[in-house]
Amino acid sequence: METITVGLGQRSYPIYIGTDLNYGELIREALPKVTDVMVVTNTTVGPLYFDELKTQLEEHDFNVSECVLKDGEAYKTVDSWWQILTALMEKDFGRDGAVIALGGGVVGDMAGFAASAYQRGIPFVQIPTTLLAMVDSSVGGKTAINHPLGKNMIGAFYQPKAVIADLDCLKTLPERELTAGLGEVVKTGIIYDDKFFDFLKEQVSKVFSYDLDTLSHIVKRCCEIKALVVSQDEKEHGLRAILNYGHTFGHAIEAYLGFGTWLHGEAVGLGMVIASALALDRKLISKDDFDNMLELCQSAKLPTVIPERMTGNDFIEHMRHDKKVRHGVIRYVLPVRIGEVKIFSDVSDDEVRSLISRMKA
Ligand SMILES: NC(=O)c1ccc[n+]([C@@H]2O[C@H](COP(=O)([O-])OP(=O)(O)OC[C@H]3O[C@@H](n4cnc5c(N)ncnc54)[C@H](O)[C@@H]3O)[C@@H](O)[C@H]2O)c1
Ligand SMILES: [Zn+2]
C-alpha cells in the first residue's frame, strides 16, 4: 500500500492506494470517534462492493447504513442530494456520524456535498471506484451537484478525512470508463510532469489489461501532483486553474453534444488536442511536442476528432457560458512544453474559429 498526504494544515488527509486494502482499519484510523456511518453508493457499485465494506466496517465497531442512489450523471441532482440528507435524518445521524462515498465521481461529489451540508458538516471518507475518481475527483475537496442550467454549479469546498483507492475495484470497470479516466491522467502528465508523460507513452496500453503495477504508478503520481497543486491553492485562486487544461474546450463539447453523450474524460481528451493545436499555432510548442501529445491521446483511446457538426462558433458560444469565464474573457490553459502549461487571456474568438475550421478540413 502507498500513502500520499494532501497537506492542508489541520485538514490534511491521507490517500491510500493499493490492493487487498483493509477498509475497516483505515477508516477507523481516519474516524476514531465515529459510531454511525452512512455508505452512499449507487445501483451499480453497491451490489459489487457494499457487502464486503459493511463486513469490514462492522469488524471495527461501526454501525453501517446504506443509501443507494440511481446511477448516472443525470442523477447528480438536488433530488439525489436530498435523498442522502433524508437518509441521514431517518437514521438519526448526529454530528458523531460520518458519510462514506463508495463509487465514481458522481457519487463522491454528491456524498461530499451532502456531508458538507448535513448539520453544517459531518466528516466524510472517499472510496473511489473509477479510475477518474481515483486520479482526480476524490482528491482536492471539490464537491457539487448539477443544476439544470449548469453542471457542478451548486457545491462546496469540503475535504474528506481520507481517500481509499483500492485498485482491485478497477477490474469491474468498463473499458470506456478506464479511457475516460485516462483523459485526466494524460492531462496530469502534460501540465506538470514530462517524465510521467514519457512513462505513459510507454506503458499506457497496459492499463487496458488492468496491469496493477502500471495502474498503481499512475494513480500514485496523479494523486501526488493533485495533492501538491491543491495544497498550494485549495480554492482555485491561481495555480489550481492548471488542472482545467483541456476542460474549456472539453466542457463545450460535453454541453454541445448533450451531457452524457461523451464521457467527461473523453471530452477532456479532445479538448487537450485542440488546446495543443492552439499552442502549436501560437508557436508555444514544437510540432514534435504536438505529435507526441496527440499520439498519447490516441494510445489512451481518447477521441481526437472534432464532432462533425460542431463549428468554431459552437465552441465559442458554449465556452462563454462556462462558469470560469470572468468579465467575458475566456481564459485558455495552453501547454508551453510537455510538463508545463500557462494561462492565456488574449486568445481571440477568430483565432479559435480559424483553428477549428482548419482542424476539421
Ligand atoms: N470533484 C472534482 O474535483 C471532480 C473532478 C473531476 C470530475 N468530477 C465529477 O466526476 C463525475 C465523473 O466521475 P466518473 O467518471 O467516476 O463517473 P461515474 O461516477 O458516473 O462512474 C462511471 C460509471 O461507472 C460505474 N462504476 C463506478 N465504479 C465502478 C466499478 N468499480 N465497476 C463497475 N462500474 C463502476 C458507475 O456506476 C457509472 O455508471 C462528474 O460528475 C464530474 O463532474 C469531479
Ligand atoms: Zn475533469
PDB file of all heavy atoms in Angstrom, residues 42 44-45 48-49 71 73 76 104-107 109 129-130 132-133 136-137 139 142-143 151-152 169-170 172-174 177 184 226 240 264, ligand 1:
ATOM      1  N   ASN A  42     -24.289   3.603  -5.432  1.00  0.00           N
ATOM      2  CA  ASN A  42     -25.360   3.607  -6.429  1.00  0.00           C
ATOM      3  C   ASN A  42     -25.737   2.171  -6.807  1.00  0.00           C
ATOM      4  O   ASN A  42     -25.164   1.201  -6.300  1.00  0.00           O
ATOM      5  CB  ASN A  42     -24.992   4.473  -7.647  1.00  0.00           C
ATOM      6  CG  ASN A  42     -23.906   3.850  -8.500  1.00  0.00           C
ATOM      7  OD1 ASN A  42     -23.659   2.643  -8.457  1.00  0.00           O
ATOM      8  ND2 ASN A  42     -23.253   4.664  -9.294  1.00  0.00           N
ATOM      9  N   THR A  44     -25.208   0.392  -9.290  1.00  0.00           N
ATOM     10  CA  THR A  44     -24.204  -0.444  -9.976  1.00  0.00           C
ATOM     11  C   THR A  44     -23.095  -0.872  -9.016  1.00  0.00           C
ATOM     12  O   THR A  44     -22.704  -2.040  -8.961  1.00  0.00           O
ATOM     13  CB  THR A  44     -23.571   0.339 -11.154  1.00  0.00           C
ATOM     14  OG1 THR A  44     -24.619   0.783 -12.004  1.00  0.00           O
ATOM     15  CG2 THR A  44     -22.579  -0.523 -11.923  1.00  0.00           C
ATOM     16  N   VAL A  45     -22.586   0.088  -8.264  1.00  0.00           N
ATOM     17  CA  VAL A  45     -21.418  -0.171  -7.413  1.00  0.00           C
ATOM     18  C   VAL A  45     -21.824  -0.869  -6.111  1.00  0.00           C
ATOM     19  O   VAL A  45     -21.109  -1.755  -5.626  1.00  0.00           O
ATOM     20  CB  VAL A  45     -20.676   1.157  -7.111  1.00  0.00           C
ATOM     21  CG1 VAL A  45     -19.453   0.912  -6.243  1.00  0.00           C
ATOM     22  CG2 VAL A  45     -20.274   1.840  -8.411  1.00  0.00           C
ATOM     23  N   LEU A  48     -21.815  -4.608  -6.052  1.00  0.00           N
ATOM     24  CA  LEU A  48     -20.474  -5.187  -6.228  1.00  0.00           C
ATOM     25  C   LEU A  48     -19.642  -5.121  -4.948  1.00  0.00           C
ATOM     26  O   LEU A  48     -18.901  -6.055  -4.633  1.00  0.00           O
ATOM     27  CB  LEU A  48     -19.715  -4.450  -7.343  1.00  0.00           C
ATOM     28  CG  LEU A  48     -20.246  -4.596  -8.776  1.00  0.00           C
ATOM     29  CD1 LEU A  48     -19.558  -3.584  -9.712  1.00  0.00           C
ATOM     30  CD2 LEU A  48     -19.990  -6.015  -9.266  1.00  0.00           C
ATOM     31  N   TYR A  49     -19.727  -4.010  -4.228  1.00  0.00           N
ATOM     32  CA  TYR A  49     -18.725  -3.779  -3.173  1.00  0.00           C
ATOM     33  C   TYR A  49     -19.267  -3.466  -1.786  1.00  0.00           C
ATOM     34  O   TYR A  49     -18.500  -3.411  -0.824  1.00  0.00           O
ATOM     35  CB  TYR A  49     -17.764  -2.649  -3.611  1.00  0.00           C
ATOM     36  CG  TYR A  49     -17.019  -2.994  -4.878  1.00  0.00           C
ATOM     37  CD1 TYR A  49     -17.274  -2.339  -6.079  1.00  0.00           C
ATOM     38  CD2 TYR A  49     -16.070  -4.020  -4.884  1.00  0.00           C
ATOM     39  CE1 TYR A  49     -16.606  -2.683  -7.245  1.00  0.00           C
ATOM     40  CE2 TYR A  49     -15.406  -4.371  -6.043  1.00  0.00           C
ATOM     41  CZ  TYR A  49     -15.673  -3.699  -7.221  1.00  0.00           C
ATOM     42  OH  TYR A  49     -15.014  -4.050  -8.364  1.00  0.00           O
ATOM     43  N   ASP A  71     -27.976   5.441 -10.750  1.00  0.00           N
ATOM     44  CA  ASP A  71     -26.661   5.556 -11.384  1.00  0.00           C
ATOM     45  C   ASP A  71     -26.692   6.548 -12.544  1.00  0.00           C
ATOM     46  O   ASP A  71     -27.559   6.438 -13.414  1.00  0.00           O
ATOM     47  CB  ASP A  71     -26.239   4.161 -11.891  1.00  0.00           C
ATOM     48  CG  ASP A  71     -24.832   4.163 -12.482  1.00  0.00           C
ATOM     49  OD1 ASP A  71     -24.127   5.186 -12.370  1.00  0.00           O
ATOM     50  OD2 ASP A  71     -24.439   3.120 -13.047  1.00  0.00           O
ATOM     51  N   GLU A  73     -24.763  10.455 -14.347  1.00  0.00           N
ATOM     52  CA  GLU A  73     -24.612  11.913 -14.256  1.00  0.00           C
ATOM     53  C   GLU A  73     -25.994  12.589 -14.244  1.00  0.00           C
ATOM     54  O   GLU A  73     -26.178  13.629 -13.614  1.00  0.00           O
ATOM     55  CB  GLU A  73     -23.774  12.381 -15.458  1.00  0.00           C
ATOM     56  CG  GLU A  73     -23.486  13.851 -15.535  1.00  0.00           C
ATOM     57  CD  GLU A  73     -22.409  14.329 -14.560  1.00  0.00           C
ATOM     58  OE1 GLU A  73     -21.496  13.549 -14.237  1.00  0.00           O
ATOM     59  OE2 GLU A  73     -22.519  15.484 -14.114  1.00  0.00           O
ATOM     60  N   LYS A  76     -27.165  13.403 -10.861  1.00  0.00           N
ATOM     61  CA  LYS A  76     -26.338  14.217  -9.958  1.00  0.00           C
ATOM     62  C   LYS A  76     -27.116  15.507  -9.651  1.00  0.00           C
ATOM     63  O   LYS A  76     -26.728  16.613 -10.031  1.00  0.00           O
ATOM     64  CB  LYS A  76     -25.003  14.517 -10.649  1.00  0.00           C
ATOM     65  CG  LYS A  76     -23.938  15.084  -9.729  1.00  0.00           C
ATOM     66  CD  LYS A  76     -22.642  15.250 -10.490  1.00  0.00           C
ATOM     67  CE  LYS A  76     -21.632  16.042  -9.721  1.00  0.00           C
ATOM     68  NZ  LYS A  76     -20.406  16.274 -10.497  1.00  0.00           N
ATOM     69  N   GLY A 104     -17.986   6.222  -8.136  1.00  0.00           N
ATOM     70  CA  GLY A 104     -17.209   7.102  -9.002  1.00  0.00           C
ATOM     71  C   GLY A 104     -17.378   8.552  -8.594  1.00  0.00           C
ATOM     72  O   GLY A 104     -17.853   8.865  -7.491  1.00  0.00           O
ATOM     73  N   GLY A 105     -17.002   9.444  -9.497  1.00  0.00           N
ATOM     74  CA  GLY A 105     -17.028  10.869  -9.201  1.00  0.00           C
ATOM     75  C   GLY A 105     -18.422  11.411  -8.926  1.00  0.00           C
ATOM     76  O   GLY A 105     -18.578  12.345  -8.138  1.00  0.00           O
ATOM     77  N   VAL A 106     -19.426  10.819  -9.542  1.00  0.00           N
ATOM     78  CA  VAL A 106     -20.782  11.323  -9.329  1.00  0.00           C
ATOM     79  C   VAL A 106     -21.198  11.091  -7.877  1.00  0.00           C
ATOM     80  O   VAL A 106     -21.644  12.012  -7.184  1.00  0.00           O
ATOM     81  CB  VAL A 106     -21.773  10.648 -10.313  1.00  0.00           C
ATOM     82  CG1 VAL A 106     -23.205  10.975  -9.937  1.00  0.00           C
ATOM     83  CG2 VAL A 106     -21.479  11.083 -11.742  1.00  0.00           C
ATOM     84  N   VAL A 107     -21.014   9.869  -7.401  1.00  0.00           N
ATOM     85  CA  VAL A 107     -21.349   9.543  -6.007  1.00  0.00           C
ATOM     86  C   VAL A 107     -20.471  10.368  -5.058  1.00  0.00           C
ATOM     87  O   VAL A 107     -20.956  10.948  -4.086  1.00  0.00           O
ATOM     88  CB  VAL A 107     -21.165   8.025  -5.748  1.00  0.00           C
ATOM     89  CG1 VAL A 107     -21.118   7.724  -4.258  1.00  0.00           C
ATOM     90  CG2 VAL A 107     -22.296   7.240  -6.420  1.00  0.00           C
ATOM     91  N   ASP A 109     -18.932  13.280  -5.474  1.00  0.00           N
ATOM     92  CA  ASP A 109     -19.272  14.710  -5.460  1.00  0.00           C
ATOM     93  C   ASP A 109     -20.557  14.962  -4.653  1.00  0.00           C
ATOM     94  O   ASP A 109     -20.655  15.920  -3.894  1.00  0.00           O
ATOM     95  CB  ASP A 109     -19.486  15.230  -6.891  1.00  0.00           C
ATOM     96  CG  ASP A 109     -18.178  15.614  -7.579  1.00  0.00           C
ATOM     97  OD1 ASP A 109     -17.106  15.221  -7.076  1.00  0.00           O
ATOM     98  OD2 ASP A 109     -18.237  16.298  -8.609  1.00  0.00           O
ATOM     99  N   THR A 129     -14.152   4.365  -6.931  1.00  0.00           N
ATOM    100  CA  THR A 129     -14.143   3.056  -7.595  1.00  0.00           C
ATOM    101  C   THR A 129     -13.940   3.148  -9.112  1.00  0.00           C
ATOM    102  O   THR A 129     -13.960   2.136  -9.788  1.00  0.00           O
ATOM    103  CB  THR A 129     -15.452   2.290  -7.312  1.00  0.00           C
ATOM    104  OG1 THR A 129     -16.541   3.061  -7.834  1.00  0.00           O
ATOM    105  CG2 THR A 129     -15.653   2.049  -5.822  1.00  0.00           C
ATOM    106  N   THR A 130     -13.810   4.385  -9.644  1.00  0.00           N
ATOM    107  CA  THR A 130     -13.443   4.522 -11.059  1.00  0.00           C
ATOM    108  C   THR A 130     -12.023   5.081 -11.123  1.00  0.00           C
ATOM    109  O   THR A 130     -11.552   5.707 -10.165  1.00  0.00           O
ATOM    110  CB  THR A 130     -14.364   5.503 -11.821  1.00  0.00           C
ATOM    111  OG1 THR A 130     -14.216   6.815 -11.245  1.00  0.00           O
ATOM    112  CG2 THR A 130     -15.822   5.074 -11.744  1.00  0.00           C
ATOM    113  N   LEU A 132     -11.139   7.575 -12.935  1.00  0.00           N
ATOM    114  CA  LEU A 132     -11.266   9.036 -12.878  1.00  0.00           C
ATOM    115  C   LEU A 132     -11.382   9.531 -11.444  1.00  0.00           C
ATOM    116  O   LEU A 132     -10.751  10.507 -11.047  1.00  0.00           O
ATOM    117  CB  LEU A 132     -12.468   9.522 -13.702  1.00  0.00           C
ATOM    118  CG  LEU A 132     -12.566  11.052 -13.748  1.00  0.00           C
ATOM    119  CD1 LEU A 132     -12.768  11.551 -15.158  1.00  0.00           C
ATOM    120  CD2 LEU A 132     -13.633  11.571 -12.821  1.00  0.00           C
ATOM    121  N   ALA A 133     -12.172   8.831 -10.654  1.00  0.00           N
ATOM    122  CA  ALA A 133     -12.342   9.263  -9.264  1.00  0.00           C
ATOM    123  C   ALA A 133     -11.046   9.061  -8.473  1.00  0.00           C
ATOM    124  O   ALA A 133     -10.701   9.871  -7.621  1.00  0.00           O
ATOM    125  CB  ALA A 133     -13.503   8.515  -8.622  1.00  0.00           C
ATOM    126  N   ASP A 136      -8.521  11.822  -9.728  1.00  0.00           N
ATOM    127  CA  ASP A 136      -8.935  13.217  -9.828  1.00  0.00           C
ATOM    128  C   ASP A 136     -10.014  13.613  -8.826  1.00  0.00           C
ATOM    129  O   ASP A 136      -9.754  14.327  -7.855  1.00  0.00           O
ATOM    130  CB  ASP A 136      -9.412  13.484 -11.272  1.00  0.00           C
ATOM    131  CG  ASP A 136      -9.622  14.958 -11.549  1.00  0.00           C
ATOM    132  OD1 ASP A 136      -9.368  15.763 -10.649  1.00  0.00           O
ATOM    133  OD2 ASP A 136     -10.038  15.302 -12.672  1.00  0.00           O
ATOM    134  N   SER A 137     -11.251  13.110  -9.015  1.00  0.00           N
ATOM    135  CA  SER A 137     -12.355  13.754  -8.305  1.00  0.00           C
ATOM    136  C   SER A 137     -12.370  13.506  -6.800  1.00  0.00           C
ATOM    137  O   SER A 137     -12.898  14.316  -6.050  1.00  0.00           O
ATOM    138  CB  SER A 137     -13.697  13.334  -8.918  1.00  0.00           C
ATOM    139  OG  SER A 137     -13.920  11.963  -8.751  1.00  0.00           O
ATOM    140  N   VAL A 139      -9.907  13.549  -4.807  1.00  0.00           N
ATOM    141  CA  VAL A 139      -8.840  14.295  -4.145  1.00  0.00           C
ATOM    142  C   VAL A 139      -9.040  15.780  -4.390  1.00  0.00           C
ATOM    143  O   VAL A 139      -9.296  16.190  -5.521  1.00  0.00           O
ATOM    144  CB  VAL A 139      -7.465  13.870  -4.730  1.00  0.00           C
ATOM    145  CG1 VAL A 139      -6.340  14.695  -4.130  1.00  0.00           C
ATOM    146  CG2 VAL A 139      -7.241  12.385  -4.502  1.00  0.00           C
ATOM    147  N   LYS A 142     -13.340  19.351  -3.970  1.00  0.00           N
ATOM    148  CA  LYS A 142     -14.464  19.972  -4.683  1.00  0.00           C
ATOM    149  C   LYS A 142     -15.640  19.011  -4.646  1.00  0.00           C
ATOM    150  O   LYS A 142     -15.506  17.843  -5.007  1.00  0.00           O
ATOM    151  CB  LYS A 142     -14.093  20.245  -6.142  1.00  0.00           C
ATOM    152  CG  LYS A 142     -13.259  21.490  -6.355  1.00  0.00           C
ATOM    153  CD  LYS A 142     -13.198  21.815  -7.843  1.00  0.00           C
ATOM    154  CE  LYS A 142     -12.340  23.018  -8.133  1.00  0.00           C
ATOM    155  NZ  LYS A 142     -12.266  23.283  -9.594  1.00  0.00           N
ATOM    156  N   THR A 143     -16.790  19.505  -4.195  1.00  0.00           N
ATOM    157  CA  THR A 143     -17.998  18.672  -4.180  1.00  0.00           C
ATOM    158  C   THR A 143     -19.108  19.466  -4.860  1.00  0.00           C
ATOM    159  O   THR A 143     -19.081  20.696  -4.838  1.00  0.00           O
ATOM    160  CB  THR A 143     -18.445  18.355  -2.740  1.00  0.00           C
ATOM    161  OG1 THR A 143     -18.978  19.544  -2.140  1.00  0.00           O
ATOM    162  CG2 THR A 143     -17.301  17.828  -1.888  1.00  0.00           C
ATOM    163  N   LYS A 151     -23.620  22.541 -15.101  1.00  0.00           N
ATOM    164  CA  LYS A 151     -23.003  21.403 -14.422  1.00  0.00           C
ATOM    165  C   LYS A 151     -22.189  21.873 -13.216  1.00  0.00           C
ATOM    166  O   LYS A 151     -21.506  22.904 -13.301  1.00  0.00           O
ATOM    167  CB  LYS A 151     -22.085  20.726 -15.450  1.00  0.00           C
ATOM    168  CG  LYS A 151     -21.695  19.319 -15.132  1.00  0.00           C
ATOM    169  CD  LYS A 151     -20.967  18.722 -16.345  1.00  0.00           C
ATOM    170  CE  LYS A 151     -19.721  18.006 -15.943  1.00  0.00           C
ATOM    171  NZ  LYS A 151     -19.653  16.774 -15.396  1.00  0.00           N
ATOM    172  N   ASN A 152     -22.252  21.151 -12.124  1.00  0.00           N
ATOM    173  CA  ASN A 152     -21.457  21.437 -10.914  1.00  0.00           C
ATOM    174  C   ASN A 152     -21.643  22.863 -10.392  1.00  0.00           C
ATOM    175  O   ASN A 152     -20.723  23.432  -9.807  1.00  0.00           O
ATOM    176  CB  ASN A 152     -19.959  21.214 -11.167  1.00  0.00           C
ATOM    177  CG  ASN A 152     -19.640  19.757 -11.393  1.00  0.00           C
ATOM    178  OD1 ASN A 152     -20.355  18.867 -10.922  1.00  0.00           O
ATOM    179  ND2 ASN A 152     -18.578  19.480 -12.128  1.00  0.00           N
ATOM    180  N   CYS A 169     -10.874  -2.655  -7.468  1.00  0.00           N
ATOM    181  CA  CYS A 169     -12.195  -2.228  -7.969  1.00  0.00           C
ATOM    182  C   CYS A 169     -12.189  -1.981  -9.472  1.00  0.00           C
ATOM    183  O   CYS A 169     -13.232  -2.055 -10.125  1.00  0.00           O
ATOM    184  CB  CYS A 169     -12.643  -0.932  -7.300  1.00  0.00           C
ATOM    185  SG  CYS A 169     -13.010  -1.102  -5.576  1.00  0.00           S
ATOM    186  N   LEU A 170     -11.018  -1.647 -10.006  1.00  0.00           N
ATOM    187  CA  LEU A 170     -10.992  -1.271 -11.427  1.00  0.00           C
ATOM    188  C   LEU A 170     -11.261  -2.455 -12.347  1.00  0.00           C
ATOM    189  O   LEU A 170     -11.609  -2.279 -13.514  1.00  0.00           O
ATOM    190  CB  LEU A 170      -9.637  -0.633 -11.767  1.00  0.00           C
ATOM    191  CG  LEU A 170      -9.350   0.669 -11.009  1.00  0.00           C
ATOM    192  CD1 LEU A 170      -7.948   1.174 -11.313  1.00  0.00           C
ATOM    193  CD2 LEU A 170     -10.382   1.741 -11.367  1.00  0.00           C
ATOM    194  N   THR A 172     -13.698  -4.379 -12.479  1.00  0.00           N
ATOM    195  CA  THR A 172     -15.089  -4.468 -12.953  1.00  0.00           C
ATOM    196  C   THR A 172     -15.487  -3.239 -13.776  1.00  0.00           C
ATOM    197  O   THR A 172     -16.622  -3.137 -14.238  1.00  0.00           O
ATOM    198  CB  THR A 172     -16.071  -4.602 -11.765  1.00  0.00           C
ATOM    199  OG1 THR A 172     -15.825  -3.531 -10.845  1.00  0.00           O
ATOM    200  CG2 THR A 172     -15.893  -5.932 -11.051  1.00  0.00           C
ATOM    201  N   LEU A 173     -14.557  -2.307 -13.929  1.00  0.00           N
ATOM    202  CA  LEU A 173     -14.901  -1.058 -14.622  1.00  0.00           C
ATOM    203  C   LEU A 173     -14.859  -1.262 -16.144  1.00  0.00           C
ATOM    204  O   LEU A 173     -13.882  -1.791 -16.662  1.00  0.00           O
ATOM    205  CB  LEU A 173     -13.879   0.015 -14.215  1.00  0.00           C
ATOM    206  CG  LEU A 173     -14.225   1.451 -14.556  1.00  0.00           C
ATOM    207  CD1 LEU A 173     -15.423   1.928 -13.753  1.00  0.00           C
ATOM    208  CD2 LEU A 173     -13.028   2.357 -14.281  1.00  0.00           C
ATOM    209  N   PRO A 174     -15.908  -0.837 -16.869  1.00  0.00           N
ATOM    210  CA  PRO A 174     -15.888  -0.978 -18.329  1.00  0.00           C
ATOM    211  C   PRO A 174     -14.729  -0.207 -18.964  1.00  0.00           C
ATOM    212  O   PRO A 174     -14.317   0.837 -18.440  1.00  0.00           O
ATOM    213  CB  PRO A 174     -17.224  -0.363 -18.768  1.00  0.00           C
ATOM    214  CG  PRO A 174     -18.066  -0.305 -17.547  1.00  0.00           C
ATOM    215  CD  PRO A 174     -17.149  -0.229 -16.382  1.00  0.00           C
ATOM    216  N   GLU A 177     -14.848   3.561 -19.455  1.00  0.00           N
ATOM    217  CA  GLU A 177     -14.653   4.361 -18.240  1.00  0.00           C
ATOM    218  C   GLU A 177     -13.165   4.476 -17.892  1.00  0.00           C
ATOM    219  O   GLU A 177     -12.718   5.485 -17.360  1.00  0.00           O
ATOM    220  CB  GLU A 177     -15.423   3.748 -17.061  1.00  0.00           C
ATOM    221  CG  GLU A 177     -16.940   3.728 -17.232  1.00  0.00           C
ATOM    222  CD  GLU A 177     -17.576   5.123 -17.197  1.00  0.00           C
ATOM    223  OE1 GLU A 177     -16.903   6.092 -16.805  1.00  0.00           O
ATOM    224  OE2 GLU A 177     -18.752   5.217 -17.588  1.00  0.00           O
ATOM    225  N   GLU A 184      -7.900  12.407 -17.718  1.00  0.00           N
ATOM    226  CA  GLU A 184      -7.324  13.220 -16.623  1.00  0.00           C
ATOM    227  C   GLU A 184      -5.870  12.816 -16.338  1.00  0.00           C
ATOM    228  O   GLU A 184      -5.067  13.637 -15.908  1.00  0.00           O
ATOM    229  CB  GLU A 184      -8.171  13.079 -15.346  1.00  0.00           C
ATOM    230  CG  GLU A 184      -9.668  13.407 -15.509  1.00  0.00           C
ATOM    231  CD  GLU A 184      -9.993  14.900 -15.621  1.00  0.00           C
ATOM    232  OE1 GLU A 184      -9.079  15.734 -15.579  1.00  0.00           O
ATOM    233  OE2 GLU A 184     -11.203  15.213 -15.756  1.00  0.00           O
ATOM    234  N   LYS A 226      -1.857  16.130  -7.880  1.00  0.00           N
ATOM    235  CA  LYS A 226      -3.063  16.877  -7.487  1.00  0.00           C
ATOM    236  C   LYS A 226      -2.921  17.377  -6.052  1.00  0.00           C
ATOM    237  O   LYS A 226      -3.299  18.512  -5.746  1.00  0.00           O
ATOM    238  CB  LYS A 226      -4.328  16.040  -7.666  1.00  0.00           C
ATOM    239  CG  LYS A 226      -5.577  16.886  -7.427  1.00  0.00           C
ATOM    240  CD  LYS A 226      -6.789  16.520  -8.215  1.00  0.00           C
ATOM    241  CE  LYS A 226      -7.887  17.552  -7.962  1.00  0.00           C
ATOM    242  NZ  LYS A 226      -9.216  17.105  -8.325  1.00  0.00           N
ATOM    243  N   ARG A 240      -4.314  26.318  -9.149  1.00  0.00           N
ATOM    244  CA  ARG A 240      -5.210  25.178  -9.347  1.00  0.00           C
ATOM    245  C   ARG A 240      -5.860  25.203 -10.736  1.00  0.00           C
ATOM    246  O   ARG A 240      -6.274  24.171 -11.253  1.00  0.00           O
ATOM    247  CB  ARG A 240      -6.287  25.142  -8.238  1.00  0.00           C
ATOM    248  CG  ARG A 240      -7.100  23.857  -8.261  1.00  0.00           C
ATOM    249  CD  ARG A 240      -7.944  23.656  -6.995  1.00  0.00           C
ATOM    250  NE  ARG A 240      -8.720  22.427  -7.150  1.00  0.00           N
ATOM    251  CZ  ARG A 240      -9.297  21.755  -6.170  1.00  0.00           C
ATOM    252  NH1 ARG A 240      -9.199  22.175  -4.927  1.00  0.00           N
ATOM    253  NH2 ARG A 240      -9.965  20.654  -6.411  1.00  0.00           N
ATOM    254  N   HIS A 264     -17.003  12.685 -19.621  1.00  0.00           N
ATOM    255  CA  HIS A 264     -16.208  13.881 -19.306  1.00  0.00           C
ATOM    256  C   HIS A 264     -14.741  13.724 -19.748  1.00  0.00           C
ATOM    257  O   HIS A 264     -14.188  14.579 -20.432  1.00  0.00           O
ATOM    258  CB  HIS A 264     -16.303  14.148 -17.799  1.00  0.00           C
ATOM    259  CG  HIS A 264     -15.386  15.218 -17.311  1.00  0.00           C
ATOM    260  ND1 HIS A 264     -15.603  16.549 -17.588  1.00  0.00           N
ATOM    261  CD2 HIS A 264     -14.237  15.160 -16.587  1.00  0.00           C
ATOM    262  CE1 HIS A 264     -14.626  17.260 -17.046  1.00  0.00           C
ATOM    263  NE2 HIS A 264     -13.786  16.437 -16.422  1.00  0.00           N
TER     264      HIS A 264
HETATM  265  N1  LIG B   1     -14.718  16.941  -7.600  1.00  0.00           N
HETATM  266  C1  LIG B   1     -13.831  17.025  -8.553  1.00  0.00           C
HETATM  267  O1  LIG B   1     -12.763  17.599  -8.383  1.00  0.00           O
HETATM  268  C2  LIG B   1     -14.134  16.372  -9.862  1.00  0.00           C
HETATM  269  C3  LIG B   1     -13.113  16.195 -10.805  1.00  0.00           C
HETATM  270  C4  LIG B   1     -13.411  15.529 -11.988  1.00  0.00           C
HETATM  271  C5  LIG B   1     -14.686  15.059 -12.213  1.00  0.00           C
HETATM  272  N2  LIG B   1     -15.657  15.248 -11.275  1.00  0.00           N
HETATM  273  C6  LIG B   1     -17.003  14.730 -11.474  1.00  0.00           C
HETATM  274  O2  LIG B   1     -16.921  13.323 -11.516  1.00  0.00           O
HETATM  275  C7  LIG B   1     -18.003  12.820 -12.291  1.00  0.00           C
HETATM  276  C8  LIG B   1     -17.496  11.744 -13.210  1.00  0.00           C
HETATM  277  O3  LIG B   1     -16.973  10.698 -12.433  1.00  0.00           O
HETATM  278  P1  LIG B   1     -16.759   9.235 -13.018  1.00  0.00           P
HETATM  279  O4  LIG B   1     -16.067   9.326 -14.304  1.00  0.00           O
HETATM  280  O5  LIG B   1     -16.180   8.429 -11.938  1.00  0.00           O
HETATM  281  O6  LIG B   1     -18.250   8.782 -13.401  1.00  0.00           O
HETATM  282  P2  LIG B   1     -19.372   7.954 -12.595  1.00  0.00           P
HETATM  283  O7  LIG B   1     -19.320   8.238 -11.170  1.00  0.00           O
HETATM  284  O8  LIG B   1     -20.640   8.221 -13.309  1.00  0.00           O
HETATM  285  O9  LIG B   1     -18.938   6.445 -12.855  1.00  0.00           O
HETATM  286  C9  LIG B   1     -18.934   5.943 -14.164  1.00  0.00           C
HETATM  287  C10 LIG B   1     -19.767   4.663 -14.283  1.00  0.00           C
HETATM  288  O10 LIG B   1     -19.030   3.568 -13.760  1.00  0.00           O
HETATM  289  C11 LIG B   1     -19.811   2.891 -12.782  1.00  0.00           C
HETATM  290  N3  LIG B   1     -18.850   2.343 -11.837  1.00  0.00           N
HETATM  291  C12 LIG B   1     -18.175   3.011 -10.877  1.00  0.00           C
HETATM  292  N4  LIG B   1     -17.275   2.221 -10.316  1.00  0.00           N
HETATM  293  C13 LIG B   1     -17.385   1.011 -10.896  1.00  0.00           C
HETATM  294  C14 LIG B   1     -16.699  -0.211 -10.754  1.00  0.00           C
HETATM  295  N5  LIG B   1     -15.669  -0.347  -9.914  1.00  0.00           N
HETATM  296  N6  LIG B   1     -17.085  -1.254 -11.515  1.00  0.00           N
HETATM  297  C15 LIG B   1     -18.096  -1.113 -12.415  1.00  0.00           C
HETATM  298  N7  LIG B   1     -18.754   0.017 -12.621  1.00  0.00           N
HETATM  299  C16 LIG B   1     -18.394   1.085 -11.875  1.00  0.00           C
HETATM  300  C17 LIG B   1     -20.733   3.938 -12.253  1.00  0.00           C
HETATM  301  O11 LIG B   1     -21.858   3.370 -11.632  1.00  0.00           O
HETATM  302  C18 LIG B   1     -21.066   4.700 -13.529  1.00  0.00           C
HETATM  303  O12 LIG B   1     -22.034   4.015 -14.262  1.00  0.00           O
HETATM  304  C19 LIG B   1     -18.614  14.001 -12.998  1.00  0.00           C
HETATM  305  O13 LIG B   1     -19.833  14.314 -12.388  1.00  0.00           O
HETATM  306  C20 LIG B   1     -17.620  15.132 -12.777  1.00  0.00           C
HETATM  307  O14 LIG B   1     -18.230  16.393 -12.699  1.00  0.00           O
HETATM  308  C21 LIG B   1     -15.394  15.900 -10.124  1.00  0.00           C
END
